[in-house]
Amino acid sequence: MLVFWDQRLVFLATPKTGSTAISAALESLAAVSIQRPPLLKHTTVHRYRRFIGPFLEAASKDNFTLVALMREPRDWLGSWYRFRQREETAEDKSTAGMSFDDFVRAWCQDPRPAFADVGSQARFLRPRQGQGVDRLFRYEEIDSFVQYLEDRLNCEIILPRLNVSPPGLTELSPETEAMLHRAAAEDFALYRTLLP
């Protein structure tokens, strides 16, 4: 999470949407940069609106614009699947030797096994009550997000390639694809509301 005090702007780091690269590029410009632990780095909309937002607005006596990115849900899960194939991943969270189809089927379970327990973008971005994200951008249209940040921060931004998931096959059977669309209905619905 990055807080730009003078610009009254907060960037929430949705997992697996380029947040590590964005933080690396902009950390020096931010008044506050929370990089660890992951629970704080990836503060949800609900936690921000309940705890951090009220504090910032009381201290500044002004409103902050809350921005975030969202990735196409199937692609987002594909990134998690590939990311967890790395050798250094803890055994209970590793997807090594597993097909993407098996990973997605596990993600659709309730409860999810540890290797598939990666949450949901809709849950991350959804307010429990009240206000959500002010500006939500598609990860696939990251150039428009960078342009928005350049305009708000009045600087050129070049994103490095960091924390990129390794390549891998992400094929799904028609049955698993249908299961995913049912289990992630809220994610797909939210993603469809974002203009390209």
Side-chain angles (χ1 to χ4, degrees):
M1 180 173 61
L2 300 174
V3 177
F4 303 96
W5 181 262
D6 292 339
Q7 296 83 3
R8 301 299 193 254
L9 180 69
V10 175
F11 166 67
L12 281 191
T14 311
K16 304 309 294 167
T17 62
S19 58
T20 300
I22 292 165
S23 294
L26 299 177
E27 184 175 19
S28 65
L29 301 175
V32 177
S33 173
I34 301 176
Q35 301 302 315
R36 58 191 73 75
L39 178 69
L40 293 181
K41 175 185 178 180
H42 299 295
T43 295
T44 65
V45 168
H46 172 72
R47 284 192 200 113
Y48 172 81
R49 292 291 185 198
R50 185 165 178 207
F51 302 109
I52 299 168
F55 171 73
L56 291 175
E57 292 177 5
S60 68
K61 298 185 179 15
D62 203 354
N63 294 320
F64 280 71
T65 301
L66 186 61
V67 299
L69 287 159
M70 181 181 188
R71 194 169 187 160
E72 191 280 328
R74 186 184 189 280
D75 186 50
W76 183 76
L77 285 173
S79 183
W80 270 115
Y81 163 74
R82 295 189 324 274
F83 182 73
R84 289 192 163 185
Q85 290 192 331
R86 298 169 310 148
E87 287 182 14
E88 61 270 22
T89 302
E91 188 176 336
D92 67 327
K93 294 188 177 181
S94 176
T95 59
M98 177 185 304
S99 71
F100 181 55
D101 200 272
D102 288 340
F103 174 77
V104 169
R105 285 181 172 275
W107 184 85
C108 292
Q109 293 175 15
D110 185 18
R112 295 177 181 133
F115 67 84
D117 193 12
V118 297
S120 153
Q121 291 179 99
R123 281 193 216 114
F124 181 90
L125 295 164
R126 175 185 64 208
R128 293 204 188 142
Q129 302 147 348
Q131 193 176 3
V133 176
D134 297 307
R135 294 288 306 267
L136 186 57
F137 295 82
R138 287 184 178 204
Y139 167 83
E140 293 76 11
E141 305 287 333
I142 201 163
D143 289 346
S144 64
F145 179 63
V146 169
Q147 180 64 56
Y148 173 82
L149 290 176
E150 287 179 340
D151 292 345
R152 286 294 299 264
L153 303 176
N154 195 28
C155 68
E156 181 183 16
I157 298 169
I158 299 170
L159 296 180
R161 284 186 53 83
L162 297 172
N163 205 30
V164 178
S165 299
L169 297 175
T170 54
E171 297 172 4
L172 293 178
S173 69
E175 296 79 18
T176 304
E177 185 87 46
M179 180 186 295
L180 172 61
H181 277 267
R182 286 190 303 273
E186 191 178 354
D187 295 76
F188 282 105
L190 177 59
Y191 186 76
R192 282 192 299 271
T193 67
L194 308 182
L195 299 174

